[in-house]
Amino acid sequence: MKKIINTVILTGVLFFSGCNKFMDIVPDNVAELDQAFSMRTMAERFLFTCYSWIPGGNVMEANPALLAGDEFWLNSTTNFSQGDFPNWYIAMGSQNANSPLLNYWDGNAGGTQLWRGIRECNIFLENIQRVPDMDQIEKDRWAAEVKFLKAYYHYYLMRMYGPIPIVEENIPIFEDPDNVNYERQPIDDVFAYIVGKIDEAIPALMEDVMLPAQENGRITQIVAKAMKAEILIAAASPLFNGNTDYPGYNNATGQPLFNATFSAQKWQLAADACKEAIDVAHAAGKALFKWNPSTTMIVAPQQSTIFQMSLRQAITERTNNSEAIWINNRSTANQSHQGLAFMPRSIDPARISNQSMGGYMAPTLNMALKFYSKNGVPIEEDFSWDYSKRFDLRDVPLGESPYQYNLIPGHTTVGLHFDREDRFYASLSFDGGRYFMSSHNNDNLAFNINARPGGNAAATNSPTRYSGTGYTPKKLVSYYNLVGEANNFTSYNYPYSMMRLGNLYLLYAEALNELFGPGDEIFFYLDAIRARSGLKGVIESWSDYSIFPDKPNTQEGLRDIIRRERTIEMAFESQRFWDLRRWKTAQVELNTPIYGWDFRQSTPQTYYRRVVMYNRTFTLRDYFWPISINELRRNDKLLQSPLW
């Protein structure tokens, strides 16, 4: 039977140890807590406090999925300290058990104390029903939102630390310490608790937001069902389904914390949840985002521009975004994020002196290689794309050519940048590339990007404001941003995307393939994603261009295709970090050198030399992060994470 531990007095919130600095809310026999639920307006403030614990995806130093993987790299170990970017130092192997980095358990070293967030959710649930000036429907809806949040915080912790305690209720503050008994619970029990709590919440949630301007980001039935699907996909994936890597990892009662037996039923539950989430999203009018050109354009844009803008705007459009399912309005990509972190030093060659931009969040050359050729297959598989010459120099033809909207005519760049799919040009900015923005009424007038010394996107003598790889993430930059004279820069701020419809399609395709192997329904959803970016269907593309034409016809081959599609479609959206873990492929993918270009060099011959940015390693223990030694000393029943 599942054991539910009725305590949140974890880590820095151990009151009987004398450390209560993390608590804002006093026990329920004190007047301040009574006041917090004395009227609707006060209770609403507490509701928003419960929401405030959602980790900020656009907080670049605190989101593990941005810099602890292999999608981004910073420019120098001397310019950014461990305190500035603990997630990046995790990527370089600095995670430790003495003072864990990005510590979401204790709430330090860049992490948020999520156990406190769970405690505040419990306080809300214990008190919301006694608010006098609310009707029952609203009380139940708010309670349902907080139940979901509590489940989500458990899920976030579980992805980091593996089996965790289950915190259903708060222990009274003056409880005898001998009665406080919390320990890790078996991973299947934790998943069951999380999903059960979401199922409990769904009936009372609103189906979709009724007032988008005020309610976007609130938990709805669509949000809950989509996130339930993601959680069940994680439960079915190799890291949590039949993982035999941790024999003897048992809790104090002798229960194995990992179930070493694979269960196909977990994939069935995941597939069913994905389909239900997709159906309710469609019923609410959700659809893959398609860009409509501005009426200010005096020349109709190229079809390739429409394909690229459809993907860019699926991420950065904050209003009327048909693809958005769950967004975090408390974490926006603002002027600092987009200017200093994501944009080249100046996208506009006429404003090269503008110091508002920098592009220090640099996509790796490793990621540039992941995108398909223009034929919709991996460049290493496309028999019409010369993979052996991917690093050779080529001149972009002058005048009109198939390349003029993506590459600068007459510019010398590398073969890797030619004849790639539109998601490549939508996602990455690079030397010799072009940058289309809302200030252009003709896409042939897009900005030219020259990243070599002296160019508008070149590195300067700034200690931090430059790309260390030669790439910047165009996908994360709003099309509506404006670069002005001097240091004037106006950004179109957009919220962090927690879940979008394209992600859900890919999750469903993955679940179906794991259950049944290749099938028409899988190709329907994969091909919809590909068609939005101008690619033909999977079967046709592999048949016509791949050296492995039968690859989509086997479960293993289609698994590789689906995972590559996720890597490309969801690039830089904080998904790959978690995907590599749940697939148990991180030991392969993250044990390769991080590469960039020799960006300080002036000539094409020297600039386009591959440089090893870092030789990183990833071991079996890195799938889960350690709990601090101090916390283990406080609670001798709490196991350290596996292999630490």
Side-chain angles (χ1 to χ4, degrees), residues 309 312-313 315-318 333-334 338-339 342-343 347 435-438 473-482 489-494:
M309 287 304 306
R312 288 174 61 185
Q313 291 294 90
I315 311 308
T316 63
E317 179 53 63
R318 70 169 180 249
N334 56 30
Q338 296 189 65
F342 301 151
M343 295 181 72
I347 56 174
Y435 221 112
F436 177 65
M437 299 294 282
S438 61
K474 188 193 298 184
K475 184 183 190 181
L476 302 182
V477 173
S478 172
Y479 155 79
Y480 296 112
N481 289 353
L482 295 174
F489 171 63
T490 304
S491 68
Y492 176 90
N493 300 345
Y494 63 87

Side-chain angles (χ1 to χ4, degrees), residues 272-286:
D272 292 344
C274 287
K275 186 61 166 67
E276 182 179 7
I278 289 171
D279 287 346
V280 298
H282 286 170
K286 304 295 183 184

Side-chain angles (χ1 to χ4, degrees), residues 132-241:
D133 58 338
M134 293 179 64
D135 62 45
Q136 192 61 46
I137 292 176
E138 189 171 48
K139 289 179 182 179
D140 291 344
R141 177 162 65 85
W142 287 11
E145 292 178 46
V146 173
K147 286 177 184 177
F148 172 89
L149 291 172
K150 183 167 75 166
Y152 180 75
Y153 298 151
H154 278 85
Y155 170 58
Y156 202 95
L157 285 164
M158 182 195 64
R159 288 193 300 179
M160 281 187 171
Y161 299 102
I164 58 171
I166 295 172
V167 178
E168 173 63 3
E169 298 175 355
N170 292 340
I171 284 288
I173 196 167
F174 298 114
E175 181 66 43
D176 186 336
D178 292 337
N179 295 332
V180 175
N181 177 25
Y182 63 92
E183 59 181 313
R184 294 179 186 261
Q185 298 300 302
I187 199 69
D188 286 349
D189 290 357
V190 180
F191 272 114
Y193 172 79
I194 292 168
V195 173
K197 193 57 61 178
I198 293 174
D199 283 339
E200 185 181 322
I202 285 174
L205 294 170
M206 53 183 168
E207 293 182 7
D208 196 6
V209 294
M210 294 172 283
L211 301 170
Q214 292 82 31
E215 296 176 334
N216 267 347
R218 295 284 288 271
I219 306 304
T220 64
Q221 289 187 9
I222 298 173
V223 169
K225 290 180 178 182
M227 294 307 298
K228 174 185 172 182
E230 178 187 299
I231 291 164
L232 285 171
I233 288 284
S237 296
L239 185 63
F240 299 111
N241 188 5

Side-chain angles (χ1 to χ4, degrees), residues 460-522:
T460 66
N461 292 326
S462 165
T464 58
R465 295 185 183 186
Y466 60 89
S467 166
T469 66
Y471 293 98
T472 58
K474 188 193 298 184
K475 184 183 190 181
L476 302 182
V477 173
S478 172
Y479 155 79
Y480 296 112
N481 289 353
L482 295 174
V483 179
E485 299 293 342
N487 289 331
N488 292 322
F489 171 63
T490 304
S491 68
Y492 176 90
N493 300 345
Y494 63 87
Y496 178 74
S497 175
M498 306 285 287
M499 172 63 74
R500 62 180 176 92
L501 188 62
N503 187 359
L504 203 51
Y505 282 6
L506 292 168
L507 292 174
Y508 185 40
E510 180 180 348
L512 289 177
N513 185 59
E514 295 301 328
L515 271 175
F516 308 117
D520 291 343
E521 193 170 13
I522 297 173

